[in-house]
Amino acid sequence: MALTLAIGIATGCVYALIAARYSVTSRTTGVVNFAQGSYVMVGGFATWWFFAEAGLTYPLAIAAGIAVAALIGLALWTIVVLPLWRRRSPPYVVLLSTIVFGAVVGNATLLLLGTLPQTLPPWIPGLEFDFQGNRIDGQYALIILATLLSLIAFGAVLRFSPLGWAMRACAASRDMSQLLGISPERIGAICFLTTAALGGLGGALITPAQFTSSEVGLAYGVFGFVAAVLGGFGSLAGAVVGGVSLGVVNAIVGR
């Protein structure tokens, strides 16, 4: 049971990262980005490719995987969302465009890297914990710790930094923020870039504990959205509660 809970909490932390990104993107740009799960898939798969195929050291492979996910997010904003945003297209049109983009990313990954699931070695080899006689992989603890630190840092940026104030201004009113000299387009690009990077981090964290394939993006995106709804859009703490609750329930039901 302890191992099941560890798996559920760790997976739920990845859902929490996705849920937080749904909330931030939606509040800042008004876009519900259903490509969020693709960033997790790309982060994990790109990290695997850079490490296993390109021969980079593990830390560099992780950094490169996160960078690839961030660039995918920036491409989504620049190529797909921004033109629709400028035309003030209906929200459902933008939402559908992110779904299509996520499907394209998944198919491109399938064509480039194949159908076989891939995994990664632990970030810290040999790290384990003994809990009630159960040996628990230390990667799960790293996932939980990295999620909490990432969300705390992200929340601090939103609350205390000029960038965070600008993002909150855009969330309140795009037109008013323009009058104040804030560029909503620049803030949107930063939002998509940083949230995609967080998704890539989630993928690099969860892949050593489970696996990645071109098909996991959709599942992560759906569960992350459900976690955001459970926790309440716009709340980082709610994202953690919703994500962890969903992860634990899934682990227990699937046991």
Side-chain angles (χ1 to χ4, degrees):
M1 187 64 179
L3 180 59
T4 301
L5 286 176
I7 293 172
I9 293 172
T11 306
C13 283
V14 177
Y15 296 159
L17 280 174
I18 299 172
R21 296 187 340 255
Y22 271 116
S23 298
V24 171
T25 304
S26 176
R27 291 193 62 188
T28 304
T29 65
V31 176
V32 180
N33 180 11
F34 268 95
Q36 298 285 6
S38 298
Y39 304 148
V40 179
M41 180 272 293
V42 167
F45 233 141
T47 300
W48 168 82
W49 186 87
F50 282 115
F51 178 70
E53 300 295 325
L56 294 185
T57 61
Y58 204 3
L60 284 178
I62 292 170
I66 294 172
V68 170
L71 291 175
I72 293 292
L74 185 60
L76 171 58
W77 170 256
T78 305
I79 299 171
V80 179
V81 174
L82 184 56
L84 296 173
W85 211 54
R86 285 172 173 166
R87 294 199 296 266
R88 297 187 181 265
S89 298
Y92 74 88
V93 173
V94 183
L95 185 151
L96 289 174
S97 72
T98 65
I99 294 175
V100 172
F101 184 87
V104 170
V105 170
N107 288 330
T109 304
L110 176 67
L111 292 174
L112 291 172
L113 300 179
T115 59
L116 292 178
Q118 304 293 346
T119 190
L120 287 164
W123 282 26
I124 304 178
L127 180 62
E128 290 185 338
F129 296 95
D130 192 313
F131 183 74
Q132 296 181 349
N134 295 284
R135 304 297 294 178
I136 298 176
D137 191 337
Q139 186 69 27
Y140 295 122
L142 290 178
I143 293 170
I144 296 168
L145 178 62
T147 297
L148 294 177
L149 291 177
S150 297
L151 292 180
I152 290 172
F154 203 48
V157 169
L158 288 174
R159 187 174 180 86
F160 300 112
S161 73
L163 174 61
W165 300 335
M167 293 176 73
R168 290 163 65 188
C170 290
S173 172
R174 189 195 314 181
D175 296 328
M176 185 60 70
S177 65
Q178 285 181 310
L179 293 176
L180 295 173
I182 300 170
S183 170
E185 294 184 4
R186 182 177 66 87
I187 295 300
I190 293 172
C191 179
F192 270 68
L193 183 74
T194 54
T195 54
L198 274 178
L201 172 63
L205 281 166
I206 197 65
T207 299
Q210 298 183 3
F211 66 90
T212 190
S213 73
S214 59
E215 300 175 351
V216 301
L218 177 61
Y220 279 124
V222 170
F223 283 123
F225 181 75
V226 173
V229 173
L230 288 175
F233 264 92
S235 170
L236 295 182
V240 174
V241 173
V244 171
S245 300
L246 187 60
V248 169
V249 170
N250 281 344
I252 293 174
V253 170
R255 188 171 177 221

